[in-house]
Amino acid sequence: MVKRQKEKQYQSTRELQASVKSDVRGRERKLPFHCCALTLTPFQHPVCNVSGIVFENTAIIPFLLKYKVDPVTGKSMSSTDLIKLNIEKDEEGRWECPVLNKPFFDRTKIVAIRNGNEASVYSWHAYKELNLKAKNMYDLISGNKFTKKDVIILNDPDDDEFNNMRDINNFHHVKNARLMEAGNPSNSNVQKSVTAMRVMEKLSSKKRAKVETTTSAEPKKKRKKY
């Protein structure tokens, strides 16, 4: 059992660079870490698959019962493939690393240490310093022994392949939202999952409005008199 440690609350250089990098990626819409990949809204009862994609448990279960596919990749998937995530919150209600007491942000690298069908969630920094460097392959909270195969990456701002998978534009259920909605008009939980199209449209509308506002705010050039 490892005693909790305090860590600086400001951004590191690496986190700052990752933030800038994400801003440069034009049209990519990476799913925020705290949001379910199915409903695109904040999760309260998080679960994930072996690929590290996080879902809201109350939404993904009915979806899998209906469609039997991973809503992100479209590949075959069942409820037995889900792993319950044990994540702690700080006093402000933000998900945080239970060892370093530091909130998780979209630019934070996050891992889950699996133990059967459950997993404890930590920042990569805690795992790297207190497990890898210390050669201590025991869960920092539960004390259960694990191997590197039990480590699931939940968020990595520097992994382009992982971020491409978390790009909302590439989600299977987003591309097929209208078909899914038409095929299941009565199930409210699944209907909630296909609001992806509406969310995407709203994001596009906000982006267009911002561009129009910026353009209208620019001073008009005076015409030269001849």
Side-chain angles (χ1 to χ4, degrees):
M1 192 68 67
V2 178
K3 187 177 181 181
R4 297 186 178 189
Q5 301 179 12
K6 290 287 183 180
E7 194 187 48
K8 61 182 183 296
Q9 295 300 311
Y10 55 84
Q11 285 181 277
S12 67
T13 302
R14 184 175 180 178
E15 289 176 330
L16 204 54
Q17 289 174 339
S19 179
V20 173
K21 184 178 180 182
S22 65
D23 291 336
V24 173
R25 290 173 180 162
R27 299 179 181 178
E28 185 177 282
R29 290 191 178 94
K30 181 186 172 185
L31 180 73
F33 167 72
H34 67 283
C35 287
C36 165
L38 180 58
T39 65
L40 307 185
T41 58
F43 51 71
Q44 296 300 323
H45 308 91
V47 293
C48 76
N49 57 20
V50 291
S51 297
I53 299 300
V54 184
F55 303 99
E56 164 58 41
N57 188 54
T58 60
I60 188 62
I61 292 297
F63 182 92
L64 292 176
L65 290 175
K66 176 67 179 181
Y67 300 108
K68 298 177 175 57
V69 296
D70 184 327
V72 171
T73 65
K75 296 180 181 179
S76 178
M77 182 175 171
S78 70
S79 59
T80 57
D81 297 315
L82 298 175
I83 303 165
K84 179 184 176 183
L85 295 176
N86 298 315
I87 318 179
E88 292 193 12
K89 286 185 176 182
D90 63 13
E91 295 179 352
E92 296 180 32
R94 299 174 299 184
W95 302 107
E96 70 166 3
C97 174
V99 176
L100 301 179
N101 300 122
K102 184 178 180 181
F104 292 141
F105 298 106
D106 291 336
R107 57 189 174 275
T108 306
K109 188 172 182 179
I110 305 168
V111 299
I113 308 298
R114 185 176 183 179
N115 180 31
N117 61 351
E118 293 190 16
S120 299
V121 180
Y122 305 96
S123 69
W124 171 265
H125 183 69
Y127 165 66
K128 178 182 178 182
E129 296 296 326
L130 304 176
N131 288 123
L132 294 181
K133 287 188 176 181
K135 297 182 179 180
N136 167 43
M137 301 306 279
Y138 290 90
D139 189 295
L140 300 173
I141 296 298
S142 69
N144 294 320
K145 190 172 183 178
F146 69 91
T147 67
K148 289 184 178 180
K149 291 183 179 180
D150 298 314
V151 180
I152 301 173
I153 302 296
L154 299 181
N155 196 55
D156 186 352
D158 296 321
D159 188 331
D160 290 335
E161 184 177 349
F162 182 79
N163 290 319
N164 183 59
M165 180 176 63
R166 289 177 59 81
D167 185 344
I168 297 173
N169 294 314
N170 299 328
F171 286 4
H172 174 77
H173 75 94
V174 170
K175 294 178 180 178
N176 297 277
R178 289 197 177 96
L179 291 175
M180 291 180 174
E181 188 171 31
N184 193 53
S186 60
N187 192 316
S188 60
N189 281 324
V190 176
Q191 275 190 320
K192 206 167 41 170
S193 74
V194 296
T195 55
M197 187 63 70
R198 300 188 186 94
V199 172
M200 293 289 287
E201 290 173 353
K202 184 179 263 188
L203 286 172
S204 297
S205 297
K206 286 184 177 180
K207 188 175 182 180
R208 285 196 299 271
K210 185 177 181 180
V211 171
E212 290 173 0
T213 301
T214 303
T215 303
S216 62
E218 292 179 353
K220 294 182 179 180
K221 294 181 179 179
K222 294 182 178 180
R223 293 183 177 180
K224 294 182 179 180
K225 292 182 179 181
Y226 296 96

